[in-house]
Amino acid sequence: MADDLTHPSIKVPAEIQGTVRVATWERFYNWCRSRSVWPMMFGLACCAIEMVAMASSRFDFSRFGMEVMRASPRQADLMIVAGTVTKKMVPQIVRLYNQMAEPRYVLSMGACANGGGPFKEGYSVVSGVDKYIPVDVYVPGCPPTPQALIFGFIQLHRKIEGQTWKDYTWYKNRGHGEEIPLPILGPDLFDPRQIALIEAAAISEQANVEQAAG
Amino acid sequence: MSETSQTQATQEPSVLTVQDAYGVLLERFPGQVRMDERQGYEGVLIEADSLLDVASFMRDQLGIRYLSSVTGVDNLPNGQLESVYHAFAGLGPALVFKVQVDRDRPEVPSLVSVWPSADFQERESYDLLGIRYIGHPNLQRILTWEGFHGHPLRKDWHEPYYEEELKPFASRHPDGHVYRAEDRNPFGMNLQYPSDFDPHNWTDIAQAAVYQPLQRTALESRLETETMVINLGPQHPSTHGVLRVVMAVDGETVVDLMPVFGYLHRNHEKIGERCTFPQIMPYTDRLDYICSMSTNLAYALAVEKLTGIRPPERAEYIRVIMAELTRIVNHLLAIGFLWNDVGAFFTPVVYAFNERELILDLFEMAAGSRMMCNYVRVGGVFEDLPDGWMEKARRLVYDRLPRFVDEYERLVVQNEIWRARAIGVGVLPAERAIAVGATGPLLRGSGVPYDIRRVEPYSIYDRFDFDVAVRFNGDVYDRFMIRFDEMRQSLRILRQAMEQIPDGPVQTGKKNYTIKVPPGEAYHRIEAPKGELGFYLVSDGRPNPWRYHVRSTSLINLTSLAEMCRGHKIADVVVILGSIDITLGEVDR
């Protein structure tokens, strides 16, 4: 299991190859991190059932050191956005994301979380969770099979292993990244960051109406 | 004794047929009630002013004690909104009545005082169509939020990504050019705001509105202790999805409680109106995503009722086999998750998922997909069963599943902790269960032997020999045990179906993305694993439905949650919720 830990350029003597690995501290640290990702127990829709299926005997994600599902975002490293993200739910999702401890990862599971999916045209469905929070891995499918989800996890492991302390926000700043402002439920969902855009759109619409009238 | 009298009482009104009932109504309320003469429509039209009188008369004199479905239709060309009701008296088809009101002044008296099961459904109709139900105790938006602009299911309300009335959209094949819907929206998302919207001065009224009814309870409380309002969900491991339950608690005791919905509202009905009839089928998978086959079946039967298409014999059997397998999957998971809520953390779920995988293998073999089967078609099923399917299914149904059901029951039923947590908790008396519109195991666990497969047989269920499972205490324990009974009955049906299944074609007519549907309306209901699942369709003769409504089992079963939980501890709320067995996809649609 730990074969991938040894750096390819380093020759370990044959007699101790079974017990000794030689790696950089960063590689070792990331390897440990990637093998103990705790997901948040957080299901939104249909995909959540497949997520549970993946946790149970046939697929069994304990093999990846991930079986410790936490109900609290404070104790979780990975948010699996499993299902359709609706406008009513987005403020909660963003809040949960803000509450997660760094370094944190987001895996978007299924067509709906990736981009709206079959319900994209609907009036209360968000066109992908990445419109509000940053996503690390996208798993396609409707719903993705447990195998596909496991593949997504392996991709996440790769990503974690490839990170260096220099470029990851949390290690760089020694603190939390910026909090994402919570979207607000108005006449339609609105993001406080988009207020200028909303006002501009209202002005241009008014101009159009006046132009049509005059 | 009370149980026996209850059983008789529910069967008593069946003497009166629906046609007789219409006759009695016409005679008793001349000028107020008239037949719905439109072609393809059924039932009576009632004047809004006398609706309450007529409804009370129906309940008290005609024995119509169960109001199943309340919904609305926007008759834009006539400038009218229509509130549509389907009620049942024990056996037989629905008694349909409607109220037509002016679109500019859509006010209909609320029927919550007559049939409490109207509560959430009237709120939904208010939310999506803007019909104001006068006298409703808490007329708030239910699927969208307080403050949302407009009523989405009105025909002149268009969603931000609106393209055309009918699919396939012209943009589907735009000469090799691909564009994203986001690119055409000024905000890059599916957002739209009314012109008078001022984002700087917006006060968020959505949350305050949710707490308001409960704070009233808190004030009325005469106790010297302080009542507190707390939230369970929408992110909570025990809410089976994104349900939110707002509770007023006095210490650990629940004084009042209100479920809050809409966190998974996916505009199923609006999307359905844009799709042709067969195109809706994959969306029905995602309603009750644990039992996609049953939901498929319910929708196909509704369209078949409207069109008169009959599926071939073999297809009927395949449908029954799939529906009953689905029932087993659902009950296994319901039991597993219920134990989860009691504290048997995930072990029973893992057991249940083991068997579920085997049944899902069968679905995957037949339909090509594990969960979202999309297998049933209007007038048949998608494909015949592949080679080797029947042998595999037989091994499961004759050998493995019966043993597993027994083993699963032995695993926890005698457990002291489980019995202490379940027996006598969340009691729902038979009388109240009918009033709040409970169906499925929830109703039968309260001592009412009401199973649609028996009272209004659909498909070929009249050919099979099975018992309607019923238990009489109406507590969590009985609702839980009845699921074992039902799984055994399902296995009985499965064995008969597998012996009787004939050879032959599995589809009437040829496959097409659209079918001809005559103008008219149809309401069809089935006994889905969770209870009565109904589809109400209105067609105006075009390829897409004019109105497409799902009578959601889970949503209406939740009407009883508040009265079952009052007086119990917070920990019991989770168990009671688990015993109802809900799927959020179906609650919020």
Side-chain angles (χ1 to χ4, degrees):
Chain A
M1 181 166 171
D3 287 343
D4 49 353
L5 201 53
T6 302
H7 199 273
S9 65
I10 299 168
K11 291 278 175 287
V12 181
E15 61 269 29
I16 56 167
Q17 257 177 10
T19 46
V20 173
R21 303 280 180 277
V22 182
T24 57
W25 171 243
E26 187 171 81
R27 197 175 167 88
F28 174 68
Y29 184 75
N30 279 339
W31 178 84
C32 294
R33 237 163 31 93
S34 70
R35 261 67 173 177
S36 58
V37 175
W38 290 4
M40 185 157 67
M41 191 183 280
F42 173 55
L44 291 173
C46 332
C47 288
I49 303 293
E50 284 299 64
M51 191 171 79
V52 179
M54 191 227 18
S56 51
S57 347
R58 187 185 274 189
F59 302 101
D60 188 16
F61 71 162
S62 319
R63 296 176 291 157
F64 303 95
M66 302 181 86
E67 76 275 26
V68 199
M69 279 197 143
R70 300 278 92 180
S72 163
R74 305 279 187 203
Q75 302 170 340
D77 309 306
L78 169 67
M79 178 194 256
I80 304 174
V81 185
T84 314
V85 182
T86 61
K87 288 180 184 170
K88 206 169 174 177
M89 194 65 197
V90 158
Q92 273 79 345
I93 294 175
V94 173
R95 180 173 304 200
L96 287 169
Y97 178 79
N98 285 340
Q99 287 175 345
M100 281 169 71
E102 294 262 13
R104 56 194 168 189
Y105 300 92
V106 177
L107 185 144
S108 159
M109 176 184 183
C112 292
N114 291 348
F119 299 98
K120 179 172 178 175
E121 62 198 278
Y123 50 84
S124 78
V125 174
V126 171
S127 311
V129 71
D130 58 358
K131 296 268 190 290
Y132 292 93
I133 58 174
V135 174
D136 293 285
V137 180
Y138 298 86
V139 180
C142 188
T145 56
Q147 292 95 327
L149 186 56
I150 287 174
F151 182 71
F153 285 150
I154 294 171
Q155 296 303 315
L156 182 71
H157 291 172
R158 287 215 183 120
K159 177 163 186 171
I160 296 175
E161 281 167 24
Q163 283 178 333
T164 69
W165 299 352
K166 287 191 204 94
D167 62 18
Y168 196 78
T169 333
W170 186 71
Y171 294 107
K172 204 162 58 185
N173 298 344
R174 304 257 160 215
H176 265 269
E178 277 202 10
E179 285 211 346
I180 298 172
L182 294 187
I184 301 164
L185 293 175
D188 205 337
L189 186 76
F190 74 94
D191 194 331
R193 294 173 294 189
Q194 276 196 334
I195 285 180
L197 198 60
I198 293 168
E199 281 170 339
I203 290 165
S204 75
E205 193 186 340
Q206 206 163 18
N208 283 346
V209 171
E210 275 163 19
Q211 203 171 24
Chain B
M1 268 320 281
S2 64
E3 290 124 18
T4 344
S5 63
Q6 190 51 54
T7 317
Q8 282 163 355
T10 48
Q11 285 167 355
E12 167 195 41
S14 63
V15 188
L16 199 71
T17 68
V18 168
Q19 292 310 321
D20 289 346
Y22 291 147
V24 171
L25 287 179
L26 290 174
E27 206 174 296
R28 179 78 167 67
F29 299 97
Q32 302 297 314
V33 178
R34 61 201 160 88
M35 291 305 286
D36 192 347
E37 305 284 355
R38 288 170 293 178
Q39 201 201 344
Y41 285 73
E42 56 179 329
V44 286
L45 295 170
I46 300 175
E47 292 299 319
D49 302 335
S50 52
L51 177 67
L52 267 178
D53 295 340
V54 180
S56 312
F57 176 80
M58 279 195 272
R59 186 192 61 183
D60 300 332
Q61 308 298 320
L62 301 182
I64 313 279
R65 295 210 272 143
Y66 166 46
L67 178 70
S68 158
S69 155
V70 180
T71 184
V73 181
D74 182 8
N75 289 335
L76 181 63
N78 305 340
Q80 279 178 327
L81 283 168
E82 196 174 285
S83 188
V84 184
Y85 306 83
H86 290 82
F88 293 90
L91 301 164
L95 189 133
V96 190
F97 54 101
K98 296 162 196 157
V99 177
Q100 291 182 333
V101 284
D102 197 36
R103 230 163 159 273
D104 303 325
R105 211 177 138 273
E107 291 181 353
V108 177
S110 164
L111 290 186
V112 177
S113 56
V114 184
W115 290 291
S117 59
D119 187 351
F120 291 160
Q121 306 189 66
E122 284 185 347
R123 277 177 68 190
E124 182 192 318
S125 190
Y126 160 71
D127 184 359
L128 300 183
L129 281 150
I131 301 173
R132 276 196 298 283
Y133 290 90
I134 308 299
H136 189 287
N138 178 28
L139 194 64
Q140 279 193 19
R141 286 183 182 266
I142 184 166
L143 295 179
T144 60
W145 56 89
E146 262 326 283
F148 188 80
H149 69 291
H151 300 286
L153 278 182
R154 287 203 179 188
K155 287 287 176 182
D156 50 4
W157 192 94
H158 288 152
E159 61 271 32
Y161 283 165
Y162 174 78
E163 289 184 34
E164 292 167 55
E165 284 294 335
L166 174 60
K167 277 183 191 171
F169 299 142
S171 64
R172 182 93 167 71
H173 303 290
D175 14 277
H177 177 69
V178 179
Y179 79 92
R180 294 155 71 239
E182 286 95 324
D183 299 339
R184 300 202 305 191
N185 189 293
F187 311 107
M189 284 181 249
N190 62 343
L191 301 173
Q192 64 186 9
Y193 304 97
S195 50
D196 58 348
F197 171 52
D198 177 9
H200 289 293
N201 298 316
W202 174 259
T203 39
D204 189 356
I205 53 174
Q207 297 310 317
V210 165
Y211 297 128
Q212 193 202 347
L214 287 177
Q215 267 148 5
R216 210 161 46 213
T217 332
L219 285 176
E220 280 163 11
S221 161
R222 296 277 173 85
L223 294 169
E224 286 172 16
T225 47
E226 193 183 353
T227 321
M228 211 173 136
V229 175
I230 62 165
N231 279 292
L232 182 77
Q235 202 285 112
H236 190 278
S238 306
T239 50
H240 299 224
V242 283
L243 179 70
R244 173 176 172 199
V245 180
V246 188
M247 293 185 275
V249 290
D250 181 5
E252 273 277 302
T253 311
V254 176
V255 181
D256 202 358
L257 169 155
M258 199 178 74
V260 182
F261 309 105
Y263 292 96
L264 192 53
H265 178 47
R266 305 193 275 197
N267 337 121
H268 196 91
E269 294 177 4
K270 188 82 174 175
I271 293 174
E273 287 173 10
R274 305 250 185 275
C275 296
T276 66
F277 282 92
Q279 277 176 339
I280 295 173
M281 192 59 84
Y283 287 99
T284 63
D285 284 328
R286 288 153 182 84
L287 269 177
D288 184 348
Y289 37 76
I290 294 171
C291 334
S292 63
M293 287 280 195
S294 307
T295 331
N296 280 178
L297 174 63
Y299 175 67
L301 286 169
V303 182
E304 281 164 14
K305 189 172 183 181
L306 201 55
T307 53
I309 299 173
R310 294 286 303 161
E313 194 79 339
R314 184 174 170 82
E316 293 269 32
Y317 276 93
I318 295 176
R319 285 172 173 197
V320 167
I321 290 172
M322 293 302 183
E324 294 306 319
L325 283 173
T326 306
R327 193 181 311 276
I328 293 173
V329 170
N330 180 71
H331 286 355
L332 284 174
L333 295 202
I335 292 164
F337 282 119
L338 178 53
W339 274 337
N340 217 3
D341 295 341
V342 185
F345 197 66
F346 264 100
T347 308
V349 177
V350 170
Y351 268 79
F353 266 82
N354 236 352
E355 305 307 302
R356 175 182 179 263
E357 289 294 338
L358 297 175
I359 298 178
L360 255 51
D361 283 347
L362 291 176
F363 290 168
E364 193 173 1
M365 268 176 95
S369 175
R370 278 160 55 83
M371 234 176 111
M372 304 304 178
C373 303
N374 188 18
Y375 182 60
V376 182
R377 291 285 182 277
V378 179
V381 296
F382 151 67
E383 277 285 330
D384 204 348
L385 301 172
D387 295 338
W389 194 92
M390 220 25 136
E391 289 74 62
K392 224 177 157 179
R394 280 214 177 91
R395 274 206 296 282
L396 208 56
V397 167
Y398 282 84
D399 187 28
R400 177 159 179 146
L401 285 176
R403 280 193 288 125
F404 177 74
V405 172
D406 294 343
E407 186 196 340
Y408 204 35
E409 192 178 336
R410 271 202 313 277
L411 187 66
V412 177
V413 166
Q414 292 303 322
N415 185 308
E416 194 67 38
I417 300 169
W418 160 244
R419 293 172 77 91
R421 290 293 302 274
I423 293 176
V425 172
V427 176
L428 184 66
E431 202 58 42
R432 289 304 298 165
I434 300 170
V436 296
T439 47
L442 182 59
L443 180 67
R444 292 191 287 273
S446 295
V448 186
Y450 189 79
D451 188 320
I452 298 162
R453 292 175 291 176
R454 190 49 69 69
V455 296
E456 197 189 351
Y458 53 90
S459 190
I460 49 166
Y461 273 105
D462 45 356
R463 300 185 195 172
F464 300 116
D465 190 21
F466 67 97
D467 297 325
V468 174
V470 61
R471 289 190 180 240
F472 296 96
N473 294 323
D475 57 2
V476 170
Y477 186 76
D478 272 17
R479 287 198 281 278
F480 157 83
M481 287 305 289
I482 204 163
R483 297 202 160 90
F484 284 109
D485 302 344
E486 289 196 4
M487 280 196 281
R488 296 203 172 97
Q489 295 305 324
S490 288
L491 287 170
R492 223 171 126 190
I493 297 173
L494 278 167
R495 283 194 288 267
Q496 293 169 49
M498 284 176 170
E499 274 157 27
Q500 295 171 14
I501 185 168
D503 283 336
V506 293
Q507 170 86 39
T508 309
K510 62 177 199 293
K511 292 175 181 173
N512 200 347
Y513 78 89
T514 178
I515 49 172
K516 267 208 161 24
V517 180
E521 61 164 4
Y523 177 75
H524 196 281
R525 55 179 191 151
I526 71 159
E527 185 66 40
K530 293 186 169 66
E532 176 182 331
L533 174 67
F535 278 88
Y536 176 68
L537 298 170
V538 179
S539 165
D540 60 348
R542 286 194 304 169
N544 57 334
W546 177 260
R547 175 83 172 94
Y548 161 77
H549 172 69
V550 188
R551 188 268 182 207
S552 152
T553 317
S554 305
L555 175 70
I556 296 156
N557 279 352
L558 276 173
T559 315
S560 58
L561 182 68
E563 60 180 86
M564 282 199 282
C565 291
R566 266 178 220 132
H568 284 293
K569 301 276 186 271
I570 296 173
D572 293 327
V573 172
V574 180
V575 184
I576 294 168
L577 183 64
S579 77
I580 299 177
D581 181 21
I582 53 167
T583 304
L584 261 295
E586 199 192 7
V587 172
D588 293 338
R589 281 153 293 148

